[in-house]
Amino acid sequence: MPRPADDYRTYEVEITELCVRRALTDEEHAQAEQQARAFIRPHVDAIRAALRGR
């Protein structure tokens, strides 16, 4: 059941900019995946080393 109209709050909003994002090409997607893995790899290696040291 819907709530009564006086049960809702209203807020003023201002839209300052709109953003459109295009889909990545297969090559761009692969490159982004590779960059993400390169960024995460040292952290994963550190966690694995810490777990081995237990």
Side-chain angles (χ1 to χ4, degrees):
M1 274 192 128
R3 296 187 292 178
D6 61 354
D7 199 17
Y8 289 90
R9 294 187 183 108
T10 60
Y11 301 96
E12 283 190 32
V13 297
E14 181 179 356
I15 298 173
T16 57
E17 86 181 88
L18 298 174
C19 179
V20 175
R21 184 174 176 191
R22 68 177 176 79
L24 299 177
T25 64
D26 289 345
E27 184 180 345
E28 290 170 321
H29 183 76
Q31 186 179 33
E33 181 75 22
Q34 195 173 31
Q35 289 172 338
R37 288 179 184 273
F39 176 78
I40 293 170
R41 183 169 288 118
H43 303 287
V44 171
D45 292 344
I47 291 168
R48 286 182 176 155
L51 291 174
R52 280 193 302 267
R54 282 205 231 172

